[in-house]
Amino acid sequence: MSFLYINPKGKPQTRHSYSAGNTFDHCPYKYYLQKVMGWHEKNDKARFELGKAFESAIQFYHERGGDLQASIKHFHEKWDPFMENKELQYTRVEKDWSTCTRIAVDWLKLYAVRQPSLPIPLGAMVKFQREYVKEVFPGDPNYGGIEDIGKPDIISWVEPGHPMLPQLDWKLEYGAYRPIIVDIKTAGQDFPDSSGIAAHDAQLRRYSWLTGIRDAALLWFVKKGLTVAKGYSVTLLEDAGYLKAGQEAVIALVEDEGVWLVANDFLIEEMERAQGKKSDGKTEQTNIAKARRDAWLEANATFTSEEIITKQRLQFNAGFISQQSADDAGLAAQDQIIRIVNAYKNNHWPNKFGVRYPRDDRSDPYFRAFALNDQMYKNQNFVKSDEDIDLFAEEDNEQ
């Protein structure tokens, strides 16, 4: 039987994945360091542990029939052990353990508000972390027996005409329910809002090829920090005045007791017009001007506590993946497998790291530790193990 490489335990590896192929495409030398030599980064990035705890809580939410408080408790059980971990590295937005806690709890509250409208129902019509396996070259003397594997976060089955899915001419012979792949991402930047753009995501296309499911979506949670100020976009976690839970709004004014919210940026301009403008374009700040502003807010805005709003975002983007697009993703998997097998046979793992656009790898830990040969950094951030790296380990999704 064919294999990709011999892993650090001396065992032939016959399974390939999207993330492993991404690593090889980017730099075969990095793939060699990870897979063949067993060099792994130490698990010290807060975002990885936060993401795992949060995704576990989403699954728990569904398993408990939408019990938000139980899901928040479950998240704490997974995340709280890292409270005193001084080695965890946080991004600027993540800041520290307590900030990450508030971000994730707000995500869970936001998901609870939005979930009924999403094509991810509670109950038996949703499966989490289901593994799919496909032999890529069945019967081939050189590559036969090598499998591609994938584990989508969610597979759900919904009514064919669900309003958040691309509209299709669904026929009875297709089945009573329409399956959809949903992958959960946590990131530092918004996902492009272009309708249906998720269908062009390389990982979702690969899942479509593996599963035969053509509808796919990204459930995208964005970290936005905790500081609030005038002009910031927020989402309501509970109803407030004429604004409803799940609706996005804009902060018009921050006061000690809470915040004034309006529905959009245009209304901020209306408030400033009512307050008055000076000749230099700046807003007047006299007591009379502020009184006009306050009167406008009373008539047109909603006042509420900061506790029921969040800057964090939930985005959902679904697209339909054509048969050709899915097949192309399968061809990419085939191409990767062929090149990896031959790289191992020939012991040829070219270093493709670079230092400027479009291949700027200066922030890649493997580049610093191994290409630049920074021994101190390598000792601090890497460990060599005979355990093969997780095939499902995803690329860093911090944008």
Side-chain angles (χ1 to χ4, degrees):
M1 185 171 68
S2 304
F3 60 88
L4 292 158
Y5 57 88
I6 304 294
N7 71 14
K9 281 188 172 180
K11 180 181 177 181
Q13 177 58 253
T14 61
R15 287 190 156 191
H16 184 58
S17 72
Y18 170 81
S19 59
N22 259 5
T23 300
F24 184 83
D25 282 345
H26 185 77
C27 182
Y29 178 54
K30 180 176 179 178
Y31 183 95
Y32 167 78
L33 291 168
Q34 284 185 357
K35 304 294 187 178
V36 181
M37 297 301 294
W39 283 107
H40 303 163
E41 284 185 78
K42 292 180 180 177
N43 193 14
D44 60 0
K45 292 181 174 61
R47 58 180 172 267
F48 294 145
E49 298 302 338
L50 181 69
K52 287 190 289 186
F54 174 70
E55 289 190 23
S56 180
I58 291 290
Q59 182 172 345
F60 192 88
Y61 178 84
H62 280 263
E63 291 172 348
R64 294 300 184 276
D67 189 330
L68 175 60
Q69 294 309 313
S71 302
I72 292 173
K73 181 180 177 182
H74 178 84
F75 167 75
H76 277 289
E77 290 171 355
K78 298 292 184 179
W79 176 241
D80 286 3
F82 297 96
M83 184 188 305
E84 302 301 328
N85 189 331
K86 304 302 182 184
E87 295 184 0
L88 279 189
Q89 299 177 15
Y90 296 90
T91 65
R92 180 182 58 80
V93 173
E94 293 166 349
K95 191 176 179 182
D96 52 29
W97 179 88
S98 61
T99 300
C100 286
T101 302
R102 172 66 187 275
I103 287 171
V105 169
D106 277 4
W107 280 340
L108 284 169
K109 292 178 179 179
L110 192 51
Y111 183 71
V113 171
R114 294 279 304 278
Q115 178 271 323
S117 68
L118 297 173
I120 314 172
L122 299 175
M125 303 303 285
V126 169
K127 300 296 181 186
F128 283 80
Q129 300 295 321
R130 180 174 173 179
E131 183 176 309
Y132 290 85
V133 181
K134 178 183 282 191
E135 185 175 356
V136 183
F137 297 96
D140 188 280
N142 295 311
Y143 310 106
I146 296 176
E147 298 173 325
D148 193 63
I149 61 174
K151 191 184 288 185
D153 292 323
I154 301 170
I155 304 290
S156 68
W157 289 264
V158 298
E159 295 291 334
H162 195 287
M164 296 198 74
L165 298 182
Q167 297 305 296
L168 300 177
D169 181 17
W170 191 266
K171 297 178 172 59
L172 285 178
E173 57 263 32
Y174 298 163
Y177 295 96
R178 181 174 173 180
I180 177 172
I181 302 162
V182 181
D183 213 45
I184 301 171
K185 299 294 184 187
T186 60
Q189 290 187 352
D190 291 347
F191 184 75
D193 270 335
S194 183
S195 178
I197 197 70
H200 300 279
D201 179 79
Q203 187 174 27
L204 291 179
R205 291 171 59 216
R206 182 76 149 263
Y207 286 161
S208 180
W209 174 71
L210 275 171
T211 65
I213 298 171
R214 296 290 166 254
D215 284 292
L218 289 169
L219 181 61
W220 193 272
F221 293 89
V222 191
K223 305 182 187 101
K224 291 289 187 179
L226 304 181
T227 304
V228 295
K230 176 184 172 181
Y232 282 13
S233 294
V234 296
T235 304
L236 279 87
L237 302 173
E238 299 177 14
D239 292 349
Y242 67 88
L243 299 170
K244 302 300 180 183
Q247 185 175 345
E248 291 194 354
V250 181
I251 296 177
L253 183 67
V254 177
E255 296 186 336
D256 292 339
E257 300 82 10
V259 294
W260 287 94
L261 302 176
V262 292
N264 51 52
D265 290 322
F266 171 75
L267 290 174
I268 297 286
E269 296 175 6
E270 289 296 297
M271 178 189 71
E272 291 176 346
R273 186 175 293 109
Q275 184 171 345
K277 297 272 189 170
K278 295 187 288 186
S279 59
D280 61 3
K282 294 182 179 179
T283 308
E284 291 184 11
Q285 298 298 323
T286 64
N287 289 336
I288 294 175
K290 289 179 179 179
R292 290 196 298 266
R293 175 202 66 193
D294 293 345
W296 187 94
L297 288 170
E298 288 285 352
N300 300 282
T302 291
F303 186 77
T304 190
S305 165
E306 287 188 33
E307 297 301 314
I308 72 161
I309 63 169
T310 180
K311 280 175 58 183
Q312 318 322 313
R313 296 197 71 202
L314 183 162
Q315 297 176 279
F316 184 85
N317 191 294
F320 184 82
I321 299 170
S322 70
Q323 183 69 55
Q324 181 64 57
S325 182
D327 289 344
D328 285 347
L331 290 173
Q334 292 177 353
D335 178 65
Q336 289 167 348
I337 288 168
I338 291 170
R339 288 184 289 121
I340 291 168
V341 168
N342 288 312
Y344 185 79
K345 285 181 178 178
N346 299 318
N347 193 28
H348 184 58
W349 308 93
N351 177 355
K352 294 171 65 175
F353 285 127
V355 295
R356 64 183 177 90
Y357 178 83
R359 187 183 289 272
D360 187 349
D361 296 305
R362 287 172 294 173
S363 62
D364 189 308
Y366 283 87
F367 171 72
R368 180 171 173 182
F370 296 95
L372 296 182
N373 198 28
D374 186 332
Q375 289 299 316
M376 182 178 295
Y377 179 83
K378 176 180 169 182
N379 293 337
Q380 291 174 343
N381 293 277
F382 282 85
V383 61
K384 195 173 185 181
S385 169
D386 62 359
E387 295 294 332
D388 204 1
I389 197 167
D390 182 7
L391 279 169
F392 297 113
E394 292 184 344
E395 300 297 309
D396 180 8
N397 62 3
E398 279 297 314
Q399 304 296 314

